[in-house]
Amino acid sequence: MNTNKIGNIIYNGLRSRLYPISRIRDLVTLVKELRRPLSGQPNPQDRRTRRRPIVCHLPIAEMATSARMSRRVPIEAQRVDAPLTQSATFLVLSVTDGADATGTVRSTLASIDDLAKNVSIRDLGASFACTVGIGSDIWDRVIALPRPAELHPFPTVKGAVHTAVSTPGDLLFHIRSERRDLCFEFERQLMDLLGDAVTVVDETVGFRYFDVRDLLGFVDGTANPVGPAVHPSILVAEEDASAAGGSYIVVQKYVHDLKAWHALQAEQQEAIIGRTKLDNVELDDAATGQRSHKTLATIEDENGDEHDILRDNMPFGSPGSCEFGTYFIGYSRHLWVIERMLQRMFVGDPPGLHDRLLDFSRPLTGTTFFAPSASLLASLDSD
């Protein structure tokens, strides 16, 4: 095998972290190639033609490091479309009572950009980012500015069989990075600053699973907007001037019944999801009757225009504790888009025909936040 080819396979594999079947075959061939006895005494039973030892002239480790360190500056504060990463922490907090707690939270939020820079500078190639979300119940107390037009507590959605529960939460910190230690260090410094001004409602550590798959085995996030469609889908604009540049966030922590899920045939799983499991090809759905998760999660307005959201879901779990789940986090320009999606999933469309994925995935939490612009957060310490 050509030396350059070996180097390219390794480098591209490290860089993309996606391993389709063709890539796997290449890597298997590479391993076989490297295992050939290329030097030393010949094996009398090995009649293969002797070849010169392979000397890899490509500084592969240096290339990978260079690719990761190519970023010159940290990711800007409150960037809701920050890159997907290998690790994430979803931290939901409640603010305690009292003026002192309010002041501590305001000053901490105002300095969140500096805190993020302090951590991200340690490895600029790790794509560290943090997005802060503010809950409805705490907005007036902490932000003290006009409320985003659609911001309200997460509504309980009760269907005939399943319920999307509503749980408390004043602050959300969506912390992500290619490196788990950077997420940890940021959270440690953040909690030191907040002190007893907050209590932890939920802390979930997520990880990227293979080629962006969930623990059910399917690729997650295929329907995300791309390119020029991203910002119009997730950032509030002229329709709500005081909230412009911000984004609505909905989080739900789902746990999966993998034993029951694995008891299904692959074809049954694919019919529930609406895509093929191996190669992620979209399947045609029934025009009437029971619909797939893919169809129920596709939202159109009264004019037939489709509205996208940005998902940054992460698997989480502990095999030793038999915990397997998906942390759903959706960013949207319009909160009603996600709320209508949940109505279609839990109540059904038509009503009574709920999303069959819910027979295997149960939500433990449900909370709504608004991620204001970085400039708004920075202004909180000016009073």
Side-chain angles (χ1 to χ4, degrees):
M1 179 180 289
N2 181 273
T3 299
N4 289 335
K5 185 174 181 181
I6 295 174
N8 287 336
I9 291 172
I10 296 177
Y11 175 64
N12 290 330
L14 289 172
R15 187 182 181 196
S16 66
R17 292 181 174 86
L18 302 177
Y19 294 95
I21 298 301
S22 60
R23 178 68 50 78
I24 294 173
R25 292 196 188 102
D26 285 342
L27 292 176
V28 169
T29 302
L30 170 62
V31 171
K32 290 180 179 179
E33 189 75 17
L34 294 177
R35 293 181 64 186
R36 290 176 61 95
L38 297 171
S39 60
Q41 297 298 319
N43 183 347
Q45 296 180 347
D46 186 358
R47 294 182 172 83
R48 294 177 298 179
T49 303
R50 301 299 295 166
R51 296 195 285 177
R52 296 176 59 188
I54 294 178
V55 179
C56 186
H57 298 288
L58 294 176
I60 295 171
E62 295 179 12
M63 289 170 61
T65 301
S66 175
R68 296 180 63 243
M69 295 299 292
S70 61
R71 184 181 297 278
R72 298 292 299 274
V73 295
I75 294 174
E76 56 268 30
Q78 290 296 92
R79 181 177 165 186
V80 297
D81 62 339
L84 295 172
T85 56
Q86 292 294 312
S87 182
T89 299
F90 305 93
L91 182 64
V92 178
L93 307 174
S94 285
V95 180
T96 58
D97 295 332
D100 289 344
T102 301
T104 298
V105 169
R106 284 176 61 90
S107 63
T108 301
L109 295 181
S111 64
I112 205 74
D113 186 24
D114 291 335
L115 180 59
K117 289 178 181 177
N118 183 46
V119 173
S120 62
I121 197 66
R122 305 182 188 195
D123 185 351
L124 291 175
S127 298
F128 177 87
C130 176
T131 302
V132 180
I134 314 295
S136 175
D137 292 342
I138 204 68
W139 181 275
D140 296 331
R141 175 181 160 193
V142 170
I143 304 301
L145 292 171
R147 297 168 62 88
E150 294 186 67
L151 182 61
H152 55 253
F154 183 95
T156 298
V157 183
K158 187 173 181 60
V161 179
H162 303 289
T163 299
V165 297
S166 176
T167 53
D170 293 328
L171 302 173
L172 167 70
F173 294 90
H174 180 195
I175 309 164
R176 59 267 208 208
S177 174
E178 296 292 342
R179 293 175 49 173
R180 170 70 188 125
D181 58 341
L182 294 187
C183 295
F184 173 90
E185 178 61 16
F186 177 86
E187 183 182 359
R188 184 190 68 80
Q189 294 188 28
L190 172 68
M191 294 304 293
D192 282 348
L193 289 175
L194 291 171
D196 57 6
V198 298
T199 58
V200 177
V201 176
D202 182 69
E203 178 188 25
T204 301
V205 175
F207 55 90
R208 191 60 60 196
Y209 190 58
F210 296 124
D211 50 336
V212 204
R213 292 180 184 266
D214 56 31
L215 297 185
L216 301 176
F218 285 78
V219 174
D220 196 2
T222 304
N224 278 348
V226 296
V230 175
H231 285 181
S233 298
I234 63 175
L235 298 182
V236 176
E238 68 280 352
E239 69 273 7
D240 187 3
S242 62
S247 183
Y248 293 95
I249 312 173
V250 172
V251 297
Q252 290 179 291
K253 184 177 182 177
Y254 286 87
V255 289
H256 306 312
D257 184 349
L258 286 191
K259 184 176 181 180
W261 179 255
H262 290 157
L264 300 178
Q265 297 294 321
E267 292 79 7
Q268 294 173 297
Q269 296 177 356
E270 291 174 340
I272 291 172
I273 299 297
R275 292 182 178 274
T276 59
K277 192 170 187 178
L278 179 62
D279 47 11
N280 194 39
V281 175
E282 185 173 336
L283 299 174
D284 292 333
D285 210 352
T288 59
Q290 181 65 61
R291 298 181 178 180
S292 68
H293 172 73
K294 175 259 301 179
T295 298
L296 292 172
T298 301
I299 304 302
E300 296 180 349
D301 60 24
E302 60 276 7
N303 298 319
D305 295 325
E306 187 172 323
H307 291 261
D308 293 327
I309 68 170
L310 183 68
R311 301 166 178 83
D312 202 359
N313 304 347
M314 278 281 191
F316 69 90
S318 170
S321 303
C322 294
E323 181 186 52
F324 308 94
T326 297
Y327 200 97
F328 166 82
I329 179 167
Y331 291 91
S332 181
R333 175 177 179 173
H334 303 289
L335 182 57
W336 67 262
V337 175
I338 301 180
E339 292 183 342
R340 184 175 298 181
M341 183 184 303
L342 295 176
Q343 284 284 337
R344 286 164 59 87
M345 290 173 57
F346 284 83
V347 177
D349 185 18
L353 295 179
H354 64 268
D355 188 340
R356 289 170 294 168
L357 181 59
L358 298 175
D359 296 337
F360 307 91
S361 302
R362 177 170 58 93
L364 302 180
T365 68
T367 320
T368 297
F369 302 93
F370 185 81
S373 65
S375 59
L376 188 150
L377 285 184
S379 71
L380 295 181
D381 208 23
S382 59
D383 297 340

